Amino acid sequence: YPSRRGINAIASLRSRPLWWTRTAPTCDKSRVSIAETLGQLALFADLTPSQLEAIAHSHDEDVFAAGERVLRRGISGGNFYVILEGEAAVEVEGEERHRLGRGEFFGEISALTGDPPTADVVARTVLRCLVIPAVQLERLLVDRPQFMLRLLRMEARRLQGTVEWRQ
């Protein structure tokens, strides 16, 4: 017979919606749900568990191999990417300008303006991302002002760092 703890764990899993445990290939051996991962990221810190579940359920995730180009300068764009696991490099003319890691995002400018990306983004390790198409990003920002404010603050800090770096 399973232990009392095991019975409670099984009952707990049955009470969750099926998509709660939806996972994709991960960078390491762990299989953490998208909603649980989002809840650990600063960008999503103001959202409730039910809001995190809704985001996880309504958006896809994608996994990129190390060395794979996720965004190509001047060509591909239109999605907002949130890094769930792994690292990516922002490159301009083959030179790495910035390294992105878990909880950081890219593609937001193209997704919001409709313009093609101004830099390449290349996976440095196996890269697992939540992918939100531009139209859905706009709806997410309007429907969840606390998320929009947090994204805006993170973007302002990123811009401030870029300006300081150039001086």
Side-chain angles (χ1 to χ4, degrees), residues 12-138:
S12 155
L13 288 174
R14 286 186 187 145
S15 66
R16 291 184 180 163
L18 260 182
W19 51 264
W20 174 264
T21 57
R22 183 181 126 209
T23 59
T26 60
C27 298
D28 62 18
K29 301 291 182 204
S30 67
R31 309 281 273 161
V32 178
S33 80
I34 297 170
E36 289 171 344
T37 301
L38 292 176
Q40 298 167 1
L41 305 180
L43 181 59
F44 297 90
D46 297 320
L47 302 182
T48 66
S50 63
Q51 290 173 325
L52 294 171
E53 291 174 20
I55 291 169
H57 180 64
S58 57
H59 301 90
D60 292 325
E61 69 176 304
D62 207 346
V63 178
F64 303 92
E68 187 175 350
R69 194 170 307 282
V70 182
L71 290 181
R72 187 174 300 274
R73 181 180 182 189
I75 299 174
S76 64
N79 291 326
F80 175 66
Y81 298 83
V82 179
I83 299 175
L84 302 175
E85 278 184 76
E87 287 188 348
V90 178
E91 297 181 355
V92 177
E93 297 177 6
E95 181 184 334
E96 185 175 317
R97 298 290 179 97
H98 190 68
R99 187 69 67 114
L100 300 169
R102 185 175 191 269
E104 294 184 280
F105 53 85
F106 58 93
E108 71 284 358
I109 303 297
S110 292
L112 293 170
T113 65
D115 295 334
T118 58
D120 293 335
V121 176
V122 180
R124 286 293 177 231
T125 64
V126 174
L127 185 67
R128 180 177 163 229
C129 296
L130 178 72
V131 182
I132 304 175
V135 173
Q136 293 177 13
L137 175 62
E138 187 174 318

Side-chain angles (χ1 to χ4, degrees), residues 43 80 104-110 112 147-163:
L43 181 59
F80 175 66
E104 294 184 280
F105 53 85
F106 58 93
E108 71 284 358
I109 303 297
S110 292
L112 293 170
F147 176 79
M148 178 171 42
L149 181 58
R150 191 168 284 267
L151 178 73
L152 183 58
R153 285 182 176 150
M154 292 174 85
E155 192 68 27
R157 285 188 195 102
R158 188 183 278 180
L159 180 60
Q160 183 180 35
T162 302
V163 170

